[in-house]
Amino acid sequence: MCYTCGGFHTHVKIYAMSQPSDLELIRQLQAGDEEALLALHERYVNLVYSVAYRVLEEQMAAEEVTQDTFMRLWHKAHTYNPEKGRFTVWLLTVARRLAIDVLRQRQRRQPKQGLFFMDENPQLWDEVLAADKSDDLKQTLLSIMEQLPPEQRDAIELAYFYGMTHSDIAAYLNIPLGTVKGRIRQGMQKLRLAWMTELSINPQLDK
Amino acid sequence: MNKDELQALIPAYTLGALDANEYAEFEAWLMSDPEAQSLVAEYQALADSLVLLTPARHAPPHLGDDLRRRLAADRQRRTTMQARPVMRPRLRKRNRKLEFVGAVMAAVAAIVLAIGVFILSDDDTPSQENTPVSVAELSPLVPVEMFEAFDEDPDTNDNSATGEMEGLWGKVVVTSDGMTAMVAMWSLPEIATDEAFEVWLVPEEGSDSQMRSVSLFVDTNDDEPAIIEIPLDEPLHHYAAVGVSIEKRDGQHHTAPSDDPILGVPVPSIPT
């Protein structure tokens, strides 16, 4: 059923065989083709904006980071190495880091937590992940994240999406620094273990 | 910190959760430990993937047109840069130290003339005068000026070198007593695995002081700024600039840079 209108159809855009792949567009981008950048922008703008908004929670700033991310892609496309990971993850990581840089220059707002499992527009992901042949990657990550104790998940979320350091998190949650370090370390170790297990079952997740 | 303590910080490092004091020590250790580098890469791949757990939103529709405008502006800027006269190549001097100092100071002069120094001070908080607050910083080093200042060498004065340095900039943040300082650098160029960046304190021109190597590092993360603490035994403002060069990665501080600097950041003046 459609997430957007409730009808029995889908708004998911299926990329036709004639649609250039991300890699083809990146190659064109590296050759200085502005249309390739605009095509990638059309494909990814919602997700890049989503990441920027997730960090900054403010429309104007999120728009700015979104556009900076694509201009960075324009100038630094040569630094993307397909052998090291998916383009989607690479691009969105650039967006997240740019957003955190902006966030660190501002007065911190009250972080919104527990958003790992809240998505009102999953079809926006479906479009991109289907084209990337990584439909089950997000589900796998959600599933292993769900296995974490909430306090470990929260510490990871504060660091990851709000750029908080150990000390920032300790001050924000009003708990000892050592406790924060322990939560992050143990949480990430569990995630890694679960991730490695999933990879052993489905090696395609890492491609 | 011992090795076990540093190793325990790997997950937090990949999330960007290390505090500044942990970060410097961790990065120094990481540089020397290939096993740790491999573990960091594993954790980093996982951490980066977590970005997929972002609730999706629709971006405003005007962003497509806005990007077209930005591309047009960028095209215009590049055209203007290409239209500028190429600087006359100079002969390579034998004294690499003087050449380095000269290049850093030329860059500093060009940048200060071009964009000025922006002083950020908080006069309302005198009681915090020695806390590590940003008392002065330079606005981003404009790439055009950087290339004009540094690409005088006939060996490097070509388009590919300019392209690789695009976006490179840095800034120095120093406490008001001048005794604690950090240099942050964005978009450092890619270097070979047997190379490292070396940070130098550059004395005033004509000064008896020697240029001093204060830090060696590799930039493992292309998207984060490299932030290096500058160890000081005298106030930073006794020096004119902080320079960064690319050197052979042999774990040793060198007595002088082997080549031109890739980045020069003037030491910010401290308001009295």
Side-chain angles (χ1 to χ4, degrees), chain B residues 5 15 128 267:
Chain B
E5 289 168 326
L15 292 175
Q128 297 178 341
V267 168

Side-chain angles (χ1 to χ4, degrees), chain B residues 20-254:
Chain B
N21 58 332
E22 294 171 324
Y23 191 87
E25 190 175 348
F26 181 88
E27 288 246 299
W29 167 71
L30 182 61
M31 205 169 87
S32 65
D33 192 327
E35 195 185 332
Q37 289 166 16
S38 160
L39 199 53
V40 163
E42 268 183 36
Y43 269 106
Q44 194 68 64
L46 168 63
D48 287 348
S49 298
L50 296 179
V51 77
L52 301 182
L53 303 184
T54 301
R57 305 178 77 89
H58 287 277
H62 63 85
L63 293 188
D65 288 340
D66 178 72
L67 188 66
R68 284 178 192 277
R69 279 192 291 275
R70 289 181 190 231
L71 281 171
D74 188 67
R75 209 182 310 127
Q76 177 67 36
R77 187 180 63 83
R78 283 165 183 259
T79 308
T80 309
M81 277 172 65
Q82 282 167 1
R84 290 181 179 208
V86 176
M87 293 195 67
R88 184 168 48 85
R90 59 170 160 68
L91 293 174
R92 183 181 282 277
K93 295 172 188 170
R94 291 191 177 189
N95 187 330
R96 303 298 305 169
K97 177 193 161 191
L98 286 177
E99 192 173 78
F100 184 99
V101 173
V104 169
M105 296 313 294
V108 167
I111 293 153
V112 170
L113 281 174
I115 54 180
V117 175
F118 295 85
I119 305 296
L120 303 174
S121 67
D122 188 352
D123 295 331
D124 296 328
T125 55
S127 62
Q128 297 178 341
E129 61 186 10
N130 284 333
T131 56
V133 294
S134 167
V135 293
E137 70 176 41
L138 190 77
S139 73
L141 302 185
V142 178
V144 174
E145 278 71 24
M146 289 298 297
F147 303 144
E148 286 185 352
F150 290 168
D151 275 359
E152 293 177 330
D153 194 304
D155 296 340
T156 60
N157 195 1
D158 61 30
N159 289 335
S160 61
T162 301
E164 282 179 10
M165 305 280 268
E166 192 155 338
L168 173 67
W169 66 286
K171 67 179 176 183
V172 170
V173 180
V174 60
T175 54
S176 56
D177 65 354
M179 293 303 291
T180 305
M182 310 280 284
V183 58
M185 293 148 281
W186 283 260
S187 302
L188 285 162
E190 286 186 37
I191 55 174
T193 51
D194 62 345
E195 291 179 325
F197 295 104
E198 189 153 8
V199 182
W200 303 88
L201 288 177
V202 182
E204 298 280 358
E205 223 169 357
S207 151
D208 290 338
S209 301
Q210 298 292 307
M211 191 160 43
R212 197 153 71 82
S213 165
V214 287
S215 186
L216 298 162
F217 69 98
V218 289
D219 186 26
T220 55
N221 193 332
D222 186 56
D223 300 312
E224 292 275 2
I227 300 173
I228 304 295
E229 184 169 2
I230 303 172
L232 293 167
D233 48 20
E234 61 180 318
L236 184 66
H237 49 269
H238 288 181
Y239 293 87
V242 177
V244 179
S245 67
I246 299 172
E247 304 295 339
K248 278 285 165 211
R249 187 173 173 181
D250 52 13
Q252 305 288 320
H253 287 271
H254 299 98

